[in-house]
Amino acid sequence: MRGRADVLEPAILGLLAESPMHGYELRKRLNLVLGSFRALSYGSLYPCLKGLADRRWIVGVDAPGDRTVASKRARIVYQLTAEGKEHLQQVLSSSGPASWEDENFDVRFAFFAQTDAETRMRILEGRRTRLTERLETVRQSFARTRERMDEYTLELQRHGLEQVEREVRWLDDLIDNERGTRRARPEGDGRPAVAAQDAEGNAEARNEKERG
């Protein structure tokens, strides 16, 4: 339970820092932040909201003019307190190993707009280091066991390897953007040599035609 709360609590605080929300709207936004594989139920949301309120990080207030017909009760809108804002800043400024693990990275990345540049860079570089280590482990395992795998297991292993490789490339681009640079493409512009030569030949032909 605590592991889920470690992900859910900062996500709630980060969303409420953007604007106050009632439970239904908050649940929809959380499902976007947490992703489809972490579908959030009200049974998880409201105990977490209660815990945050008990610690005085959020407060619930009645939404004026927003009463349901059946109960005649106003929907509760949740918003950050001053203590909640301070705690959120402490969370967003942290950049230890937990911040780049699978369970937490997506949530931390979702609130990068509220995170300072130095912390963003540490998290991105930490995530990249962790995935590079994982990539090497997967490659070694793949090389050792591929002869004993059936075609479906082999394809699953290859798919997992490609996913990690794609994320490493994505992180490279993000890190370059944070640094304000672009990674130099290998072999000139990244195209195969033959394709590059063909492109140059076509460009030269066009130039000759225009001069003629």
Side-chain angles (χ1 to χ4, degrees), residues 144-161:
R144 287 196 307 268
T145 60
R146 62 182 303 169
E147 298 299 330
R148 300 193 299 272
M149 293 181 188
D150 61 73
E151 60 180 310
Y152 300 105
T153 304
L154 189 64
E155 191 59 34
L156 184 62
Q157 290 289 319
R158 185 179 292 111
H159 175 63
L161 186 62

Side-chain angles (χ1 to χ4, degrees), residues 6-17:
D6 288 342
V7 174
L8 187 54
E9 287 180 0
I12 290 174
L13 295 176
L15 288 174
L16 293 181

Side-chain angles (χ1 to χ4, degrees), residues 5 15 35 37 48 53 65-66 69 92 98 100 107 148 153 162 169 184 201:
L15 288 174
F37 293 104
C48 190
D66 187 17
V69 175
L92 295 180
W100 55 71
V107 172
R148 300 193 299 272
T153 304
E162 290 172 352
R169 291 194 297 269

Side-chain angles (χ1 to χ4, degrees), residues 62-76:
D62 290 345
D66 187 17
R67 298 180 180 276
T68 61
V69 175
S71 65
K72 303 297 184 182
R73 293 178 57 189
R75 285 192 295 183
I76 296 176

Side-chain angles (χ1 to χ4, degrees), residues 121-147:
M121 181 63 77
R122 285 198 299 267
I123 292 174
L124 289 173
E125 290 179 336
R127 178 67 175 172
R128 188 192 185 285
T129 298
R130 183 56 48 87
L131 286 183
T132 301
E133 294 170 351
R134 184 182 302 172
L135 187 60
E136 184 60 27
T137 300
V138 173
R139 282 172 173 164
Q140 291 176 1
S141 175
F142 186 69
R144 287 196 307 268
T145 60
R146 62 182 303 169
E147 298 299 330

Side-chain angles (χ1 to χ4, degrees), residues 4 7-8 11 29-40 106-107:
R4 186 175 182 85
V7 174
L8 187 54
R29 293 288 305 281
L30 283 167
N31 280 331
L32 290 175
V33 170
L34 299 178
S36 58
F37 293 104
R38 294 182 186 173
L40 179 67
D106 289 351
V107 172

